[in-house]
Amino acid sequence: MKKKKLVIISHTEHYTNENGIIMGWGSTINEVNFLADYWDEVCHVACLYDTKMPLSSLPYSKNNITFVPIPPFGGKSLLDKVLIFTKIPKIISQVVKSLDGASEVQLRLPTSMGLFLLPLFSFFINRKFTLWIKYAGNWGQENPPISYKIQRWFLKKNWANCKVTINGFWENQPKYCLSFENPCLTLDDIEKGKIISKVKRFDNPFVFTFVGRLESAKGVDRIIEALQYIPLDKIAIVNFIGDGEKTIFYKEKTAFLKGKIQYHGFLDKVNVHKILSESHFLLLPSDSEGFPKVIAEAACYGVVPIVSNVGSIGHYVNDTNGFVWNLDAEESYGAIVYKAISTNHLQLKEQSNKIQELAKKFTFINYLKKLNDLVFIS
């Protein structure tokens, strides 16, 4: 039996394409499209930009989804950050209007508007709906940005009096904070991944792939440094999927790879999965993460992760199914990458098989089951 009305409030970037169709950040839109099958109505309150949209953007595919635009906010400059105060009335107005008739509401954090929406839901709205907060950031981050720190402190006080879904499993985790896997895979993805990973061989030369924003915080500089110590004959291709302000700089820095590197820009799910299906290793030495969906997407195809031990990554990836690097270790990330490519091909295959098993946890069906079992209960 379908539930009545789900309202999702997020900072997901939306755009209007040349045909006037609303498009949004692909990974979130896939999740909303899935959830729409289980509610009569879904309303997504999120940011609408008037800039060029990335290729990873997707349209809504269900007729029962309504998009409610709010003005974009935030930015790198102090002025950009201050300007959110001028947009608060409009954002609150759109949020409150959308709550009419809601049976369930999801607030996705951390985001700047959480600073005023958390108090709004906690103290000023008479809730006749089930509220749950999806905290997608690093719950265990020791020195988060001040905005994130305030929101996490607020949630730990439980003033919102609701369930909070978080990445990973943490010491002294409150009972109302529920460990959830970030959904990104269908059952069809899992079955396709099984077939592909079963025949995947780990003989060099290897295919390496990075997916994300091209920036230092995502570890791109570390990846480039690591690649300098790998013999070219062990590299088939290095894929960088994503974009950023330093893309041109990174292209110049990776000239030593000659024809063995490709910058794809942002891609849709189909093309990302195609590249992952052909990959051996996922490179992701980030400074901070919650749990990046790309690890689960790569795992679906038996791609062995070489990742930093931040956020909840180490709760899922270990020596049996990947390679984990500590930011404060004396050993460099490059040394870990070299260790990975020097590992016996049979051991790599075993790690590939085990990481593929992990992918099952990150299906949309598993996500819905946990919502029904743990969140939508009285």
Side-chain angles (χ1 to χ4, degrees):
M1 181 177 177
K2 286 188 175 182
K3 294 179 171 57
K4 185 178 179 183
K5 179 181 177 181
L6 169 64
V7 177
I8 300 171
I9 305 159
S10 78
H11 63 286
T12 303
E13 298 173 0
H14 286 72
Y15 311 84
T16 305
N17 72 6
E18 63 274 10
N19 297 317
I21 297 173
I22 296 296
M23 310 278 284
W25 185 251
S27 60
T28 303
I29 300 304
N30 279 328
E31 182 180 333
V32 177
N33 284 335
F34 170 81
L35 292 173
D37 287 337
Y38 301 92
W39 274 266
D40 290 330
E41 180 183 355
V42 175
C43 176
H44 191 185
V45 183
C47 301
L48 180 62
Y49 288 75
D50 61 1
T51 55
K52 182 180 179 182
M53 67 181 183
L55 293 177
S56 56
S57 300
L58 292 174
Y60 293 106
S61 62
K62 308 294 173 62
N63 292 328
N64 61 333
I65 301 174
T66 302
F67 170 66
V68 177
I70 56 175
F73 54 85
K76 294 186 177 181
S77 72
L78 178 60
L79 178 61
D80 288 335
K81 297 181 187 301
V82 170
L83 283 176
I84 189 175
F85 292 102
T86 67
K87 301 173 182 179
I88 290 176
K90 176 67 173 179
I91 294 173
I92 289 179
S93 174
Q94 293 290 69
V95 167
V96 172
K97 287 179 183 177
S98 299
L99 296 177
D100 185 34
S103 53
E104 288 80 26
V105 175
Q106 180 196 70
L107 175 59
R108 300 169 77 105
L109 300 177
T111 172
S112 298
M113 62 180 177
L115 293 172
F116 54 88
L117 289 183
L118 272 174
L120 178 73
F121 278 102
S122 300
F123 307 126
F124 299 103
I125 289 180
N126 181 22
R127 296 198 326 234
K128 298 180 180 179
F129 48 78
T130 298
L131 171 69
W132 92 94
I133 292 167
K134 180 177 180 178
Y135 191 90
N138 181 355
W139 187 258
Q141 189 172 4
E142 294 184 4
N143 296 297
I146 185 65
S147 170
Y148 291 14
K149 187 174 184 178
I150 292 171
Q151 291 170 70
R152 192 176 59 180
W153 170 80
F154 198 102
L155 293 174
K156 287 183 176 180
K157 293 293 184 180
N158 198 24
W159 285 327
N161 191 28
C162 68
K163 300 292 177 61
V164 181
T165 63
I166 62 176
N167 296 301
F169 309 85
W170 302 93
E171 188 177 355
N172 300 319
Q173 183 174 315
K175 290 184 178 180
Y176 60 87
C177 290
L178 309 173
S179 298
F180 265 55
E181 286 75 34
N182 223 350
C184 56
L185 297 167
T186 66
L187 294 180
D188 285 342
D189 291 331
I190 295 296
E191 290 307 309
K192 178 182 175 183
K194 281 182 180 178
I195 295 170
I196 291 172
S197 63
K198 186 176 182 179
V199 298
K200 182 169 290 189
R201 296 175 60 88
F202 282 83
D203 301 316
N204 69 73
F206 298 110
V207 177
F208 301 86
T209 297
F210 166 88
V211 183
R213 296 185 306 277
L214 298 186
E215 60 182 19
S216 297
K218 284 289 185 180
V220 177
D221 297 80
R222 296 184 184 113
I223 292 172
I224 294 172
E225 182 180 1
L227 292 172
Q228 294 176 16
Y229 297 96
I230 298 178
L232 280 178
D233 62 353
K234 292 186 179 294
I235 299 174
I237 190 74
V238 179
N239 298 296
F240 279 100
I241 303 173
D243 210 340
E245 295 178 358
K246 297 177 67 176
T247 299
I248 294 176
F249 169 76
Y250 287 137
K251 286 182 177 180
E252 294 172 351
K253 290 279 286 184
T254 51
F256 67 92
L257 289 167
K258 301 177 181 179
K260 296 192 173 187
I261 186 162
Q262 188 165 359
Y263 288 85
H264 300 271
F266 287 113
L267 298 174
D268 59 22
K269 175 183 174 180
V270 172
N271 285 300
V272 171
H273 279 227
K274 181 179 185 300
I275 292 172
L276 289 174
S277 71
E278 299 165 352
S279 302
H280 296 101
F281 295 105
L282 176 74
L283 306 177
L284 192 64
S286 306
D287 289 345
S288 180
E289 296 281 0
F291 186 90
K293 291 181 178 180
V294 67
I295 294 180
E297 291 178 303
C300 183
Y301 299 98
V303 183
V304 176
I306 310 176
V307 292
S308 52
N309 189 14
V310 293
S312 63
I313 291 176
H315 301 176
Y316 295 93
V317 182
N318 52 55
D319 291 342
T320 69
N321 59 13
F323 296 87
V324 183
W325 173 68
N326 292 315
L327 291 176
D328 57 356
E330 291 185 8
E331 196 173 30
S332 70
Y333 179 69
I336 300 298
V337 174
Y338 196 86
K339 176 183 176 182
I341 67 170
S342 302
T343 299
N344 179 278
H345 69 100
L346 294 177
Q347 183 179 333
L348 289 175
K349 183 61 179 176
E350 181 64 23
Q351 289 174 300
S352 173
N353 291 339
K354 288 187 176 180
I355 200 70
Q356 207 282 330
E357 283 292 313
L358 178 70
K360 296 176 184 177
K361 292 180 176 288
F362 296 85
T363 61
F364 293 112
I365 286 295
N366 185 56
Y367 177 59
L368 181 68
K369 184 179 187 303
K370 292 184 78 167
L371 284 176
N372 286 324
D373 291 348
L374 302 175
V375 176
F376 304 144
I377 55 175
S378 57

